Amino acid sequence: NTDAQDILLPGMSYTMYHSHFWTNWFADLNYGPASSCENSPAFKAVCESADKWIGMGVDGFRLDAVKHIYHNANSDENPTFLKKFYDHCNASFKSNGGKGEFYMVGEQYSSYNEVAPYYKGLPALFEFSFWWTLKDAINNGVGENFVATIQSYTKEYAKYRSDYIEATKLSNHDEDRTGNDLGRNSGKMKLAGAVLLTAGGQPFVYQGEELGYWGAKSNGDEYVRTPIMWKADGSSLASGKLSGKIDKSMLNAGMSVESQLEDENSVLSLYRRFGVLRDSYPALQSGSFDFCALASTSPSIAAWYRTEGNQRVLVLHNFGTGNASCSVINDKLDKLIGSNGSVTVKDKKVTLGALSSAIFLL
């Protein structure tokens, strides 16, 4: 019968469309086989919606849960679909007068080896493994392996896309807050922010991280989505006084924008200072991320170079909770352009206090 229609037997009723997330909030769309998905009405409708926003000036999208478009996350289906969608959006962007390439970042909540094949479809993907590696390094007080581990991830990405964009991040809404993972320790939270803003990739800051928020996902989704507290009395700009499902212990811990702006040692001040630093030096913005061999060092220290054109900077971080020293081989250390915590320089030797950072222009 070519006159297809839905059939409801007595006692039956619609509850939801098929959904991989088991909720009618996220009903799956029928794109058909990924190899020919561009021919489906669903794909055309989604592209039409994207074109509307691109036509209004939007120059990038964030895509949620990209491994769940098709159910087999490790097959080639999702990367195939994503490439077709990205290519359409990029062409639409350029036809609307856009300069450069359309930006599109995908959330593939998996380890780096499962994320890597998705670079066949998208130019940028959130870097969960970056955060997991950094979190363990900080909590264990060991920085010496950090660069090599991150480089092993990026080598995997380069197999699928030469111009990959490593969208680095700390925690996000699917995980416990960074503050939770780092024991609500402001020193560790500042170090995590300093590493994020001096490492390679294009960093994202999840709202509240720049204030040192904490919250456990197991308590409910709201606890990792707490609104920004703008005022010292615990109020938000948009909705007045904060209430409901939030960790109220944060309200009396100097967690507001107002209180942290007045404290040069706050988490927010670190993010602002290192954000300006990154924005001021092309090497920190878009330079290469290269291992730095030291003449002598402590296992707690991570060291790398960032290089863009003729500009080169040396980045040092002490992941330990005590003082640590290292000595460079040939670099001159007379231009300290950024620091956090305690930094002492004598000739070619640098001593970093607990959880401290130093950036030198070479």
Side-chain angles (χ1 to χ4, degrees), residues 278-336:
R278 187 181 182 96
D279 194 46
S280 301
Y281 292 91
L284 288 173
Q285 289 177 35
S286 55
S288 60
F289 177 73
D290 305 306
F291 175 76
C292 170
L294 298 169
S296 63
T297 188
S298 162
S300 67
I301 291 180
W304 60 81
Y305 293 116
R306 302 291 309 280
T307 307
E308 179 69 29
N310 295 324
Q311 187 178 88
R312 194 182 204 196
V313 299
L314 169 64
V315 178
L316 300 172
H317 295 288
N318 178 15
F319 287 27
T321 55
N323 290 347
S325 297
C326 64
S327 297
V328 301
I329 299 174
N330 297 314
D331 300 318
K332 292 180 64 177
L333 303 178
D334 56 344
K335 296 179 181 177
L336 181 66

Side-chain angles (χ1 to χ4, degrees), residues 163-213:
D163 59 345
Y164 66 89
I165 300 172
E166 184 189 15
T168 51
K169 60 166 215 51
L170 304 184
S171 66
N172 83 341
H173 60 277
D174 287 322
E175 307 170 279
D176 286 351
R177 282 279 195 179
T178 294
N180 264 52
D181 286 337
L182 299 181
R184 303 186 183 183
N185 183 307
S186 63
K188 290 183 176 182
M189 285 188 268
K190 287 191 283 186
L191 176 62
V195 172
L196 177 69
L197 294 172
T198 57
Q202 293 185 354
F204 282 72
V205 179
Y206 183 57
Q207 65 91 8
E209 215 140 56
E210 72 275 39
L211 295 168
Y213 276 14

Side-chain angles (χ1 to χ4, degrees), residues 3-202:
D3 184 21
Q5 55 187 293
D6 295 323
I7 299 175
L8 287 178
L9 300 176
M12 292 176 60
S13 63
Y14 288 118
T15 56
M16 65 179 68
Y17 290 100
H18 175 70
S19 170
H20 189 58
F21 289 97
W22 305 282
T23 168
N24 58 357
W25 287 17
F26 302 119
D28 289 352
L29 299 179
N30 183 10
Y31 296 112
S35 59
S36 57
C37 63
E38 69 275 17
N39 298 320
S40 70
F43 186 91
K44 293 175 182 177
V46 168
C47 287
E48 182 180 351
S49 179
D51 289 344
K52 169 189 171 183
W53 292 102
I54 293 170
M56 291 193 295
V58 169
D59 59 6
F61 292 141
R62 174 208 182 272
L63 305 185
D64 192 44
V66 294
K67 69 179 180 180
H68 295 299
I69 301 168
Y70 289 84
H71 285 195
N72 188 348
N74 297 320
S75 76
D76 200 47
E77 291 175 299
N78 291 319
T80 296
F81 172 91
L82 290 166
K83 184 179 188 309
K84 292 180 178 182
F85 181 61
Y86 175 76
D87 286 348
H88 172 92
C89 291
N90 198 28
S92 178
F93 173 66
K94 291 181 177 180
S95 68
N96 277 278
K99 304 299 182 184
E101 305 299 312
F102 191 72
Y103 184 80
M104 193 177 289
V105 58
E107 183 208 43
Q108 213 289 44
Y109 188 8
S110 300
S111 62
Y112 77 97
N113 56 312
E114 294 176 339
V115 169
Y118 280 70
Y119 277 109
K120 290 187 289 186
L122 294 177
L125 289 152
F126 285 119
E127 174 62 296
F128 287 88
S129 287
F130 176 92
W131 165 233
W132 299 337
T133 298
L134 176 57
K135 171 179 62 176
D136 290 344
I138 292 176
N139 283 331
N140 293 324
V142 178
E144 62 181 352
N145 301 318
F146 180 74
V147 177
T149 302
I150 300 304
Q151 286 180 327
S152 72
Y153 302 160
T154 57
K155 287 177 183 176
E156 194 69 21
Y157 305 151
K159 294 178 183 178
Y160 297 94
R161 180 184 288 269
S162 61
D163 59 345
Y164 66 89
I165 300 172
E166 184 189 15
T168 51
K169 60 166 215 51
L170 304 184
S171 66
N172 83 341
H173 60 277
D174 287 322
E175 307 170 279
D176 286 351
R177 282 279 195 179
T178 294
N180 264 52
D181 286 337
L182 299 181
R184 303 186 183 183
N185 183 307
S186 63
K188 290 183 176 182
M189 285 188 268
K190 287 191 283 186
L191 176 62
V195 172
L196 177 69
L197 294 172
T198 57
Q202 293 185 354

